[in-house]
Amino acid sequence: MHRRRAPNFTYVSGCVKYMIFVINFLFWLVGGLLIGIGLYSFIDKWQATGLIKLNSLYDFILNISLLIALIGGVVFIVSFAGCVGALRENTCLLKFYSLCLLILFLVEMGGAVCGFVFPRSLQGFLELSFKEHVVHAYRDDTDLQNFIDFAQRDFHCCGITSDGYMDWAKNEYFNCSSPSVERCGVPFSCCINATDISSGLVNIMCGYGVQNYPVAEASKRIWTSGCLEIVRSWSERNLYTIATVALGGALMQLFVIYLAKTLEGQIELQKARWQT
């Protein structure tokens, strides 16, 4: 004899439903914060300079404020779909949400495979893609300039590609034909000791004229290796740590996709019960 179910019985698990809602609500807040930060930075820079150059895809990618706002927008939309889909038990939104997570997961896996299996090929592709644009735009975009200075100072590198500090010969302010006092030099963030110990002030002239020196002589004053080469070497030294973190993130994404598909199946089962 079959036991009769109570009239208010539901196949939808409240634990799964509200777990998806809470996770996506947190990401929804993060996405909104990123949008606000990116747009505020973009508007502030626009009011300060009055000129925002977006002539190509590279200009958009290298515009840090717009890139942050774009990433925030994607996170905001996808997590909002997860929130509303779980709370309102909407299968269309849940399918959209799980599809976006699956696409993101596949893109990440593709990037990871290229990075771990073909590190030098990936480095060569990035060098070819950004070599001219990053160096040329150094003084045109303050956000990009601050980012490059941060990378060179913290990763102990100078320039982008395997040419190292000689990459700055392609910048209109640092090439040797420039009328600027910075000609044949590099940014101060390339210097090994840019800050004076006694005064605590940054010597912005510490990299002047180093393009005229051979590598052995220049290495006494500045970091000479390109940043992509340093990052690749660092990645190879910390391969297991990076792989562990990436695996943890991938498993978390798969777990959330599993929760979304589980909730979607429970909702479909509940709808079928109502129809019968």
Side-chain angles (χ1 to χ4, degrees):
M1 180 177 180
H2 295 286
R3 182 181 300 175
R4 292 189 62 187
R5 298 186 185 275
N8 61 347
F9 175 80
T10 177
Y11 289 97
V12 178
S13 170
C15 179
V16 174
K17 175 179 176 178
Y18 289 107
M19 187 180 296
I20 295 175
F21 172 77
V22 170
I23 292 173
N24 285 280
F25 180 73
L26 295 176
F27 276 98
W28 179 71
L29 293 178
V30 172
L33 181 63
L34 290 176
I35 293 174
I37 292 173
L39 290 181
Y40 175 80
S41 176
F42 177 78
I43 294 173
D44 182 65
K45 182 169 60 178
W46 182 38
Q47 291 177 341
T49 62
L51 178 63
I52 301 294
K53 187 176 70 172
L54 295 174
N55 298 328
S56 66
L57 178 62
Y58 290 105
D59 292 332
F60 181 82
I61 294 175
L62 296 175
N63 193 307
I64 307 299
S65 56
L66 282 183
L67 191 60
I68 291 175
L70 176 63
I71 294 173
V74 172
V75 173
F76 185 90
I77 293 173
V78 174
S79 57
F80 181 77
C83 279
V84 177
L87 198 61
R88 303 296 299 174
E89 298 180 7
N90 187 307
T91 54
C92 291
L93 288 177
L94 287 174
K95 288 178 180 177
F96 169 77
Y97 172 70
S98 56
L99 177 62
C100 290
L101 287 185
L102 180 60
I103 292 174
L104 177 61
F105 174 79
L106 294 176
V107 170
E108 290 174 350
M109 291 300 101
V113 169
C114 291
F116 289 132
V117 179
F118 308 106
R120 293 189 180 276
S121 298
L122 180 61
Q123 178 186 344
F125 172 75
L126 292 175
E127 287 184 356
L128 183 63
S129 300
F130 293 102
K131 182 175 183 178
E132 299 291 336
H133 295 82
V134 172
V135 174
H136 281 176
Y138 176 74
R139 285 286 173 79
D140 299 332
D141 189 325
T142 53
D143 290 337
L144 180 63
Q145 178 177 338
N146 292 334
F147 177 76
I148 293 175
D149 285 335
F150 165 78
Q152 292 186 148
R153 184 171 56 250
D154 283 44
F155 284 95
H156 296 169
C157 57
C158 187
I160 306 298
T161 72
S162 54
D163 292 335
Y165 70 105
M166 293 305 296
D167 279 345
W168 291 107
K170 300 175 180 63
N171 183 276
E172 61 178 336
Y173 296 97
F174 295 109
N175 67 62
C176 293
S177 60
S178 171
S180 169
V181 295
E182 298 174 305
R183 60 182 177 274
C184 290
V186 296
F188 71 90
S189 54
C190 289
C191 296
I192 297 175
N193 295 309
T195 305
D196 185 81
I197 299 177
S198 58
S199 64
L201 299 176
V202 176
N203 179 14
I204 62 173
M205 298 185 295
C206 59
Y208 283 13
V210 295
Q211 291 183 38
N212 294 321
Y213 301 157
V215 176
E217 184 66 24
S219 62
K220 298 177 182 178
R221 297 177 56 184
I222 63 169
W223 313 108
T224 56
S225 299
C227 290
L228 287 179
E229 178 67 25
I230 295 296
V231 171
R232 185 189 63 80
S233 301
W234 178 86
S235 301
E236 290 178 350
R237 292 195 306 269
N238 298 274
L239 184 61
Y240 292 109
T241 302
I242 296 173
T244 301
V245 173
L247 180 61
L251 291 177
M252 184 62 184
Q253 284 180 276
L254 290 176
F255 175 68
V256 176
I257 293 174
Y258 167 76
L259 289 179
K261 299 305 290 184
T262 299
L263 181 60
E264 182 185 329
Q266 292 174 349
I267 295 171
E268 295 288 355
L269 187 60
Q270 181 74 1
K271 287 181 179 179
R273 173 177 173 263
W274 289 342
Q275 292 174 355
T276 57

